[in-house]
Amino acid sequence: MCGIVGYVGSDQAAPILLDGLARLEYRGYDSAGIAVVSENKELQVKKSKGRLQVLSDIINGGKSVEGVLGIGHTRWATHGEPNDVNAHPHLSQDGKIAVVHNGIIENYVELRDFLKAKGYVFQSETDTEVVTQLLSFYYAEDSDIFNAVFKVLRRIEGAYALGIICADCPDRFLAARKDAPLLVGFGEGENFIASDVTAIIKHTREVAYMEDGEVAVISAEGVSFYNIMEQPIEKEHSTIDWDVSAAEKGGYAHFMLKEIMEQPEAIRKTAFSRIRDNKVFFEDLSIGAEYIKSISKIYIVACGSSYHVGMVGKYNLERMLRKPVEVCLASEFRYCDPLVDDKSLVIVISQSGETLDTMAALREAKNLGAHILSIVNVVGSSIARESDDVIYTWAGPEIAVATTKAYSTQLVLLNMLGMYFGDILGTLSKEEYDAIMGELLLLPTKMEKMLEDIEDIKHFASDYFNHSSVFFIGRNLDYAMGLEGSLKLKEISYIHSEAYASGELKHGTISLIEKGTLVIALGTYAPLFDKAMSNVVEVQARGADVLALTTESNVSEMRKTVENVMTVPESHTIFQPSLGVVPLQLFAYYVALLRGCDIDKPRNLAKSVTVE
Ligand code: M6R
């Protein structure tokens, strides 16, 4: 999605803005631009369709743009096609004000008509230009940009993170937020804004997260914050607990590969600090034992891979808690009049903590009286802040659009939540609890071992990368894991891929299996291994080319029927998908590599989906 960065200090702004935007590239974009004010109050706007490099080449890496204050933007088109004119920043008709914007102004048509009637001529098709021209309209009243911003905020409806510069104010710029992430970074004699901390982490780890309705005035000397009533407010500063190296490739060809390899360590960080004397503790949770016992139903609400975590979680939590668990796509949940009440626990899962559909579902569930517990990676994100309880995955920054380490840490945390609740509810025997705990402690090491030897996965990828259609089949936890394996493959390699519960194949989809169709048969869920085998035979009989995945103890059995088999170490069934997903991630990665795809930034996708 769109990215924002802003800078004021004593260094040349343009190179800093370009560097910040480069660090936001992973979020997905189709055009980029910057606006810089020079000391002689000249406002320069440079923007271009396409990759950031195009813009950088036009302005010689930023060197040809003078000035120490500026804003930058990477745009992911919503209103109007990706082109130079629709790219941000947008400049007001009088050339005095430039704006970058993330989000959507819902009443932009009405405002545009109002401004057109006043003689304003619009250059772009964007909703953002309305903000720029409206600012210019109010600025003309008293030449006070601060007043103009508040007047505009009272008129616009929708979601926004805004960066605003005015040629008459070469020493400060403004920022405003509602329903779109924005933070302020504090430096020595320089200050920043960014929609995502990765843009500025190179310069500072001290930040303040802006809340809805807040406005910031940023100068090199300091930052003043105001609420929507225009009253000054104090903001708490937070320190980011990772540094710039965490958001760099560190010798790997792609962030995705780096993040796959980081999974064992990420799981250690996520899990082990919450284990004492072989028991799981979530000390910061506000829900107590009485509330946990009173829960009548658990909902897991999420999108994409986070939803797939929920699919695995349903099987595991129902087993551990003997309570009904419903997994809902956030985009559906908000419109389905959900039967949620104050006896419902709603677990919201999100890496970014900013996914708009998930956020809307959270608010819907909260209004209905549910307790909201979120599992989130990005500290201080909107979902984290609006939840009653938050458990952070502490996976560090995840840059590749295709999630891997966030998925794995979410999954481990959800299982740990099951252990924690199961212990309180008495639905997990001590023996079972200890067995699960024993495997949890071994999980990172088993994963590390798998990651040391990935030659067979590379080999299978080279066998199959030319296929145009793939089916993942599995039962129970293998089905849930297959959903994620299939999404990984399709999103980065652009191969059409579907995941099916094996038993459901014969109800329609099996008609698509013909000679040479690739079927990835998942047989890691031990209780249903025999059933998995019969489904393998079933698709082979229709000519399918099968690549199987099973555990070490079942590999010889599987090899009697299938030549190509990937293996994973044995674990407790609860954690088997945590191991099984790793070869699927790697398979997707190497297939995409062989197909020459842009692995970290797949077409049409954004890291965090902040539009509906
Ligand atoms: O940040 P979130 O976890 O809320 O994001 C949800 C999905 O957009 C995300 O998982 C998406 O499906 C990934 N591209 C999958 O790799």
Side-chain angles (χ1 to χ4, degrees), residues 303-306 349-353 355 358 401-403 410 484 487-488 491 606-609:
C303 301
S305 293
S306 298
I349 307 179
S350 175
Q351 186 283 132
S352 61
T355 302
T358 312
V401 163
T403 180
Q410 289 166 349
E484 178 60 7
L487 178 60
K488 284 288 85 83
E491 71 179 326
K607 183 64 183 162
S608 154
V609 183

Side-chain angles (χ1 to χ4, degrees), residues 90-115:
H90 288 283
L91 189 61
S92 61
Q93 196 162 288
D94 59 7
K96 286 195 167 182
I97 295 168
V99 172
V100 290
H101 166 222
N102 289 356
I104 290 175
I105 304 302
E106 283 160 8
N107 60 339
Y108 81 103
V109 174
E110 168 203 326
L111 293 172
R112 194 178 54 197
D113 291 346
F114 164 80
L115 288 161

